[in-house]
Amino acid sequence: MDRTRISRCRNHPPLLRRKDETPSEGPVLVLVDNEIEVTVQRLKSRGAEIIAEPRPAPWQPGRTIAEFRDSEGNCMMITSR
């Protein structure tokens, strides 16, 4: 995959931009929210596509995750602290 580098502040890794506008397969942004169930219900009420309902994170016991698609079709993740 050919990527274009976007410069950022010094001492931070560069951001990468996709070459085309195809929606992402994996999460492009992870949001932290301790009321995931409430947020997922709010997203549903506004017509968002929920990819994965709230569930325990397999990599960290005690953490909850959910996934949805943004208005551009990209996968977004919500996780608890």
Side-chain angles (χ1 to χ4, degrees):
M1 178 180 208
D2 183 27
R3 297 181 177 179
T4 304
R5 290 184 180 268
I6 302 171
S7 62
R8 282 185 65 192
C9 298
R10 204 172 54 205
N11 300 325
H12 291 281
L15 299 174
L16 300 174
R17 178 177 287 175
R18 291 191 308 258
K19 188 171 186 167
D20 59 28
E21 296 298 317
T22 304
S24 68
E25 296 278 328
V28 295
L29 182 66
V30 178
L31 306 168
V32 178
D33 185 350
N34 285 326
E35 295 182 350
I36 292 177
E37 291 80 9
V38 173
T39 300
V40 168
Q41 289 305 316
R42 190 174 299 136
L43 288 166
K44 283 181 181 180
S45 73
R46 294 180 177 161
E49 176 189 353
I50 305 302
I51 300 168
E53 294 287 337
R55 65 191 187 283
W59 61 86
Q60 189 170 17
R63 186 167 288 205
T64 302
I65 59 171
E67 294 178 63
F68 67 98
R69 292 213 181 273
D70 70 6
S71 61
E72 303 298 318
N74 295 301
C75 178
M76 309 288 272
M77 180 180 284
I78 308 171
T79 181
S80 62
R81 291 184 191 254

